[in-house]
């Protein structure tokens, strides 16, 4: 898990923060839509799993292709485990930017929960009432 630098040698921290938040938000939001009974796209468990897996693959693929960060899990639970593992088992120079992956994965997930609960569920309920 590392944040890259651009050609001028500047660390791409802001880009990594945004990338981590958006990636975590998308994964969490799609997971919430596929686990809530009223918002599922399909009742078939295979389709539900495919939607969640495809979202994760797309987010990780885009993140790696962006050239901003490498090795980020975009999953808050995995970020927590990696944060502590890297912190306690690595050299101090390897822990320079691990806070980005830890804090912004949770920030993106909280944003997804707010979006899901306050916007998406209300819109789905209004659509079903019509």
């Amino acid at each position: 898990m590392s944040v890259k630098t651009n050609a001028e040698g500047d660390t791409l921290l802001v880009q990594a923060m945004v990338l981590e938040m958006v990636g975590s938000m998308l994964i969490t939001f799609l997971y919430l839509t596929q686990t809530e009974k009223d918002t599922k796209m399909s009742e078939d468990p295979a389709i539900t799993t495919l939607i969640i897996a495809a979202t994760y693959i797309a987010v990780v693929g885009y993140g790696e292709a962006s050239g901003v960060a490498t090795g980020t899990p975009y999953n808050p639970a995995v970020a927590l485990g990696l944060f502590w593992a890297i912190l306690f088992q690595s050299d101090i120079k390897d822990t320079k930017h691990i806070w980005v992956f830890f804090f912004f994965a949770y920030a993106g997930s909280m944003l997804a929960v707010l979006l899901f609960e306050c916007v998406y569920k209300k819109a789905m309920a209004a659509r079903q009432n019509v």
Side-chain angles (χ1 to χ4, degrees), residues 24-122:
S24 297
M25 185 190 73
L26 287 172
I27 290 169
T28 305
F29 184 79
L30 260 294
Y31 181 80
L32 288 170
T33 62
Q34 296 311 299
T35 55
E36 182 86 21
K37 184 178 184 226
D38 296 333
T39 60
K40 274 188 172 184
M41 294 179 194
S42 173
E43 293 298 322
D44 185 8
I47 299 296
T48 300
T49 305
L50 180 66
I51 291 168
I52 295 170
T55 303
Y56 188 77
I57 289 169
V59 167
V60 170
Y62 176 73
E64 292 295 322
S66 70
V68 173
T70 60
T72 176
Y74 298 104
N75 182 331
V78 175
L80 176 67
L82 286 174
F83 176 83
W84 291 113
I86 290 171
L87 188 63
F88 288 116
Q89 295 180 356
S90 295
D91 290 336
I92 196 70
K93 65 181 179 186
D94 296 334
T95 63
K96 189 174 182 181
H97 298 295
I98 61 172
W99 59 273
V100 171
F101 306 107
F102 178 67
F103 291 113
F104 288 94
Y106 280 93
S109 293
M110 287 190 281
L111 184 62
V113 169
L114 286 172
L115 181 66
F116 179 75
E117 293 292 333
C118 298
V119 178
Y120 187 74
K121 279 177 76 173
K122 289 182 181 179

